[in-house]
């Protein structure tokens, strides 16, 4: 089911929680909602975190996001992602669906980024990327820890 994006609120600042069972029915339904919502955005976003659509009051948001990665035919779902950046920092334009019409330059993102995550089928995957994709992954990871990019602006 397509969900509404959560407007700017304190909910965006609440960290997500580790997923314990990727086969959990409620999690699978929530991931399908995330996919449906991402598809409905029709290219307006390169990534979307579960936290941006989570409307389950009293239930902690699972650590999940979706992103369209280079050379992939379908968006990838990232469950319990862990990442590390390297290679110096970059400063570039950044935007967020949670802060519409706000596209400032954001500094401090790592040029290269390696992410390890669980796929929907329960297997682990590692992915290394640079430049724009590095920035996208770091942006989505921030959502999962309750940070939004406007906090980093100087």
């Amino acid at each position: 089911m397509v969900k509404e994006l959560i407007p700017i609120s304190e909910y965006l600042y609440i960290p997500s929680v580790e997923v314990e069972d990727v086969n959990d029915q409620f999690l699978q339904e929530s991931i399908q909602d995330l996919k449906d919502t991402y598809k409905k955005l029709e290219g307006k976003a390169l990534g979307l975190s579960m936290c941006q659509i989570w409307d389950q009051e009293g239930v902690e948001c699972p650590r999940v996001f979706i992103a369209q990665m280079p050379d992939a035919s379908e968006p990838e779902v990232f469950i319990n992602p862990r990442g590390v950046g390297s290679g110096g920092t970059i400063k570039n334009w950044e935007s967020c669906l949670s802060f519409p019409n706000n596209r400032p330059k954001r500094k401090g993102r790592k040029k290269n980024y390696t992410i390890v995550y669980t796929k929907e089928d329960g297997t682990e995957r590692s992915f290394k990327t640079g430049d724009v994709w590095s920035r996208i992954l770091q942006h989505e990871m921030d959502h999962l820890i309750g940070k939004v990019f406007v906090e980093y602006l100087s």
Side-chain angles (χ1 to χ4, degrees):
M1 170 177 20
V2 174
K3 299 281 189 164
E4 293 293 320
L5 292 174
I6 294 194
I8 300 168
S9 73
E10 68 274 6
Y11 292 112
L12 291 175
Y13 298 91
I14 299 172
S16 61
V17 296
E18 191 89 7
V19 170
E20 293 181 19
D21 179 8
V22 296
N23 296 312
D24 177 77
Q25 182 65 34
F26 182 67
L27 175 68
Q28 290 300 317
E29 291 169 5
S30 298
I31 288 173
Q32 188 59 55
D33 292 345
L34 183 66
K35 289 177 175 180
D36 293 345
T37 304
Y38 186 77
K39 184 176 181 180
K40 176 80 171 162
L41 291 169
E42 298 176 358
K44 294 178 185 170
L46 296 173
L48 181 67
S49 81
M50 188 74 79
C51 303
Q52 290 175 278
I53 64 165
W54 195 249
D55 60 0
Q56 304 296 318
E57 195 167 321
V59 179
E60 294 174 302
C61 179
R63 190 165 293 142
V64 178
F65 73 84
I66 189 170
Q68 180 66 53
M69 299 310 295
D71 303 325
S73 60
E74 293 293 321
E76 181 83 316
V77 174
F78 296 75
I79 301 170
N80 294 334
R82 302 174 308 283
V84 62
S86 64
T89 60
I90 54 175
K91 181 177 182 178
N92 209 330
W93 299 106
E94 191 163 330
S95 61
C96 181
L97 293 170
S98 299
F99 295 86
N101 304 316
N102 191 351
R103 195 171 183 258
K105 278 199 171 182
R106 196 264 195 221
K107 61 182 178 180
R109 295 278 189 214
K110 290 295 188 176
K111 183 175 182 177
N112 300 305
Y113 199 70
T114 300
I115 189 166
V116 177
Y117 61 99
T118 304
K119 295 175 63 158
E120 289 178 86
D121 64 7
T123 60
E124 275 210 353
R125 179 168 185 223
S126 177
F127 183 80
K128 184 175 182 177
T129 189
D131 297 323
V132 67
W133 296 107
S134 172
R135 189 176 79 237
I136 291 163
L137 293 175
Q138 290 172 78
H139 179 103
E140 297 309 325
M141 291 291 288
D142 280 348
H143 276 298
L144 299 182
I145 62 169
K147 296 275 186 191
V148 292
F149 83 108
V150 294
E151 292 180 65
Y152 297 103
L153 302 178
S154 53

mmCIF file of all heavy atoms in Angstrom, residues 83-103:
data_model
loop_
_atom_site.group_PDB
_atom_site.id
_atom_site.type_symbol
_atom_site.label_atom_id
_atom_site.label_comp_id
_atom_site.label_asym_id
_atom_site.label_seq_id
_atom_site.Cartn_x
_atom_site.Cartn_y
_atom_site.Cartn_z
ATOM 1 N N GLY A 83 27.454 0.813 7.569
ATOM 2 C CA GLY A 83 28.322 1.383 6.548
ATOM 3 C C GLY A 83 29.508 2.105 7.118
ATOM 4 O O GLY A 83 29.528 2.483 8.286
ATOM 5 N N VAL A 84 30.494 2.285 6.243
ATOM 6 C CA VAL A 84 31.682 3.044 6.611
ATOM 7 C C VAL A 84 32.143 3.828 5.374
ATOM 8 O O VAL A 84 32.148 3.309 4.263
ATOM 9 C CB VAL A 84 32.801 2.130 7.167
ATOM 10 C CG1 VAL A 84 33.274 1.123 6.145
ATOM 11 C CG2 VAL A 84 33.953 2.951 7.690
ATOM 12 N N GLY A 85 32.485 5.075 5.611
ATOM 13 C CA GLY A 85 32.954 5.927 4.531
ATOM 14 C C GLY A 85 34.459 6.044 4.536
ATOM 15 O O GLY A 85 35.122 5.798 5.546
ATOM 16 N N SER A 86 35.004 6.426 3.364
ATOM 17 C CA SER A 86 36.452 6.607 3.242
ATOM 18 C C SER A 86 36.742 7.574 2.106
ATOM 19 O O SER A 86 35.859 7.961 1.360
ATOM 20 C CB SER A 86 37.132 5.252 2.975
ATOM 21 O OG SER A 86 36.698 4.738 1.730
ATOM 22 N N GLY A 87 38.001 7.949 1.991
ATOM 23 C CA GLY A 87 38.444 8.716 0.827
ATOM 24 C C GLY A 87 38.208 10.207 0.861
ATOM 25 O O GLY A 87 38.025 10.818 -0.172
ATOM 26 N N GLY A 88 38.198 10.811 2.019
ATOM 27 C CA GLY A 88 37.995 12.254 2.079
ATOM 28 C C GLY A 88 36.523 12.604 1.991
ATOM 29 O O GLY A 88 35.655 11.734 1.898
ATOM 30 N N THR A 89 36.224 13.900 2.022
ATOM 31 C CA THR A 89 34.833 14.332 2.015
ATOM 32 C C THR A 89 34.500 15.090 0.737
ATOM 33 O O THR A 89 35.381 15.605 0.048
ATOM 34 C CB THR A 89 34.527 15.231 3.230
ATOM 35 O OG1 THR A 89 35.372 16.382 3.193
ATOM 36 C CG2 THR A 89 34.730 14.471 4.527
ATOM 37 N N ILE A 90 33.212 15.135 0.452
ATOM 38 C CA ILE A 90 32.717 15.869 -0.706
ATOM 39 C C ILE A 90 31.646 16.850 -0.242
ATOM 40 O O ILE A 90 31.012 16.656 0.787
ATOM 41 C CB ILE A 90 32.136 14.920 -1.784
ATOM 42 C CG1 ILE A 90 31.060 13.997 -1.183
ATOM 43 C CG2 ILE A 90 33.225 14.105 -2.443
ATOM 44 C CD1 ILE A 90 30.363 13.111 -2.192
ATOM 45 N N LYS A 91 31.471 17.896 -1.017
ATOM 46 C CA LYS A 91 30.412 18.865 -0.763
ATOM 47 C C LYS A 91 29.596 18.941 -2.043
ATOM 48 O O LYS A 91 30.138 19.169 -3.117
ATOM 49 C CB LYS A 91 30.998 20.235 -0.420
ATOM 50 C CG LYS A 91 29.953 21.290 -0.123
ATOM 51 C CD LYS A 91 30.590 22.596 0.287
ATOM 52 C CE LYS A 91 29.537 23.625 0.626
ATOM 53 N NZ LYS A 91 30.127 24.882 1.083
ATOM 54 N N ASN A 92 28.298 18.693 -1.918
ATOM 55 C CA ASN A 92 27.467 18.667 -3.103
ATOM 56 C C ASN A 92 26.026 18.972 -2.717
ATOM 57 O O ASN A 92 25.672 18.972 -1.546
ATOM 58 C CB ASN A 92 27.559 17.297 -3.782
ATOM 59 C CG ASN A 92 27.337 17.385 -5.275
ATOM 60 O OD1 ASN A 92 26.622 18.251 -5.757
ATOM 61 N ND2 ASN A 92 27.945 16.466 -5.998
ATOM 62 N N TRP A 93 25.191 19.196 -3.741
ATOM 63 C CA TRP A 93 23.787 19.457 -3.517
ATOM 64 C C TRP A 93 23.138 18.218 -2.919
ATOM 65 O O TRP A 93 23.475 17.096 -3.267
ATOM 66 C CB TRP A 93 23.087 19.815 -4.835
ATOM 67 C CG TRP A 93 23.622 21.037 -5.477
ATOM 68 C CD1 TRP A 93 24.417 21.095 -6.586
ATOM 69 C CD2 TRP A 93 23.448 22.380 -5.047
ATOM 70 N NE1 TRP A 93 24.738 22.397 -6.868
ATOM 71 C CE2 TRP A 93 24.155 23.208 -5.939
ATOM 72 C CE3 TRP A 93 22.765 22.978 -3.992
ATOM 73 C CZ2 TRP A 93 24.192 24.585 -5.814
ATOM 74 C CZ3 TRP A 93 22.801 24.356 -3.868
ATOM 75 C CH2 TRP A 93 23.499 25.139 -4.773
ATOM 76 N N GLU A 94 22.203 18.454 -2.025
ATOM 77 C CA GLU A 94 21.483 17.339 -1.422
ATOM 78 C C GLU A 94 20.055 17.782 -1.173
ATOM 79 O O GLU A 94 19.795 18.924 -0.852
ATOM 80 C CB GLU A 94 22.157 16.928 -0.113
ATOM 81 C CG GLU A 94 21.659 15.631 0.435
ATOM 82 C CD GLU A 94 22.602 15.033 1.472
ATOM 83 O OE1 GLU A 94 23.829 15.244 1.399
ATOM 84 O OE2 GLU A 94 22.097 14.336 2.349
ATOM 85 N N SER A 95 19.133 16.854 -1.348
ATOM 86 C CA SER A 95 17.733 17.167 -1.068
ATOM 87 C C SER A 95 17.105 15.997 -0.322
ATOM 88 O O SER A 95 17.688 14.922 -0.222
ATOM 89 C CB SER A 95 16.968 17.442 -2.364
ATOM 90 O OG SER A 95 16.992 16.312 -3.203
ATOM 91 N N CYS A 96 15.911 16.253 0.198
ATOM 92 C CA CYS A 96 15.231 15.233 0.997
ATOM 93 C C CYS A 96 13.727 15.425 0.822
ATOM 94 O O CYS A 96 13.228 16.548 0.907
ATOM 95 C CB CYS A 96 15.623 15.387 2.464
ATOM 96 S SG CYS A 96 14.858 14.168 3.541
ATOM 97 N N LEU A 97 13.031 14.327 0.601
ATOM 98 C CA LEU A 97 11.578 14.397 0.456
ATOM 99 C C LEU A 97 10.900 14.927 1.715
ATOM 100 O O LEU A 97 9.814 15.487 1.647
ATOM 101 C CB LEU A 97 11.019 13.010 0.134
ATOM 102 C CG LEU A 97 11.413 12.438 -1.211
ATOM 103 C CD1 LEU A 97 11.013 10.975 -1.294
ATOM 104 C CD2 LEU A 97 10.777 13.228 -2.336
ATOM 105 N N SER A 98 11.543 14.760 2.855
ATOM 106 C CA SER A 98 10.976 15.241 4.114
ATOM 107 C C SER A 98 11.107 16.754 4.274
ATOM 108 O O SER A 98 10.486 17.344 5.149
ATOM 109 C CB SER A 98 11.649 14.542 5.297
ATOM 110 O OG SER A 98 11.433 13.151 5.229
ATOM 111 N N PHE A 99 11.955 17.358 3.451
ATOM 112 C CA PHE A 99 12.158 18.812 3.473
ATOM 113 C C PHE A 99 12.013 19.338 2.052
ATOM 114 O O PHE A 99 12.999 19.709 1.409
ATOM 115 C CB PHE A 99 13.545 19.153 4.043
ATOM 116 C CG PHE A 99 13.700 18.764 5.480
ATOM 117 C CD1 PHE A 99 14.090 17.480 5.833
ATOM 118 C CD2 PHE A 99 13.441 19.664 6.488
ATOM 119 C CE1 PHE A 99 14.220 17.102 7.154
ATOM 120 C CE2 PHE A 99 13.564 19.303 7.818
ATOM 121 C CZ PHE A 99 13.960 18.022 8.153
ATOM 122 N N PRO A 100 10.788 19.334 1.519
ATOM 123 C CA PRO A 100 10.598 19.731 0.120
ATOM 124 C C PRO A 100 11.058 21.164 -0.145
ATOM 125 O O PRO A 100 11.042 22.012 0.746
ATOM 126 C CB PRO A 100 9.098 19.582 -0.093
ATOM 127 C CG PRO A 100 8.483 19.503 1.249
ATOM 128 C CD PRO A 100 9.542 19.057 2.203
ATOM 129 N N ASN A 101 11.496 21.383 -1.358
ATOM 130 C CA ASN A 101 11.955 22.703 -1.823
ATOM 131 C C ASN A 101 13.161 23.212 -1.052
ATOM 132 O O ASN A 101 13.358 24.417 -0.920
ATOM 133 C CB ASN A 101 10.811 23.721 -1.753
ATOM 134 C CG ASN A 101 9.601 23.261 -2.531
ATOM 135 O OD1 ASN A 101 9.720 22.765 -3.648
ATOM 136 N ND2 ASN A 101 8.438 23.383 -1.925
ATOM 137 N N ASN A 102 13.954 22.319 -0.522
ATOM 138 C CA ASN A 102 15.158 22.684 0.214
ATOM 139 C C ASN A 102 16.297 21.838 -0.352
ATOM 140 O O ASN A 102 16.364 20.649 -0.112
ATOM 141 C CB ASN A 102 14.956 22.399 1.711
ATOM 142 C CG ASN A 102 16.052 22.980 2.559
ATOM 143 O OD1 ASN A 102 17.054 23.468 2.057
ATOM 144 N ND2 ASN A 102 15.859 22.925 3.862
ATOM 145 N N ARG A 103 17.188 22.471 -1.122
ATOM 146 C CA ARG A 103 18.269 21.725 -1.776
ATOM 147 C C ARG A 103 19.601 22.453 -1.608
ATOM 148 O O ARG A 103 20.198 22.914 -2.569
ATOM 149 C CB ARG A 103 17.932 21.551 -3.257
ATOM 150 C CG ARG A 103 18.781 20.514 -3.927
ATOM 151 C CD ARG A 103 18.261 20.211 -5.325
ATOM 152 N NE ARG A 103 19.066 19.162 -5.895
ATOM 153 C CZ ARG A 103 20.018 19.362 -6.789
ATOM 154 N NH1 ARG A 103 20.273 20.555 -7.240
ATOM 155 N NH2 ARG A 103 20.719 18.353 -7.244
#
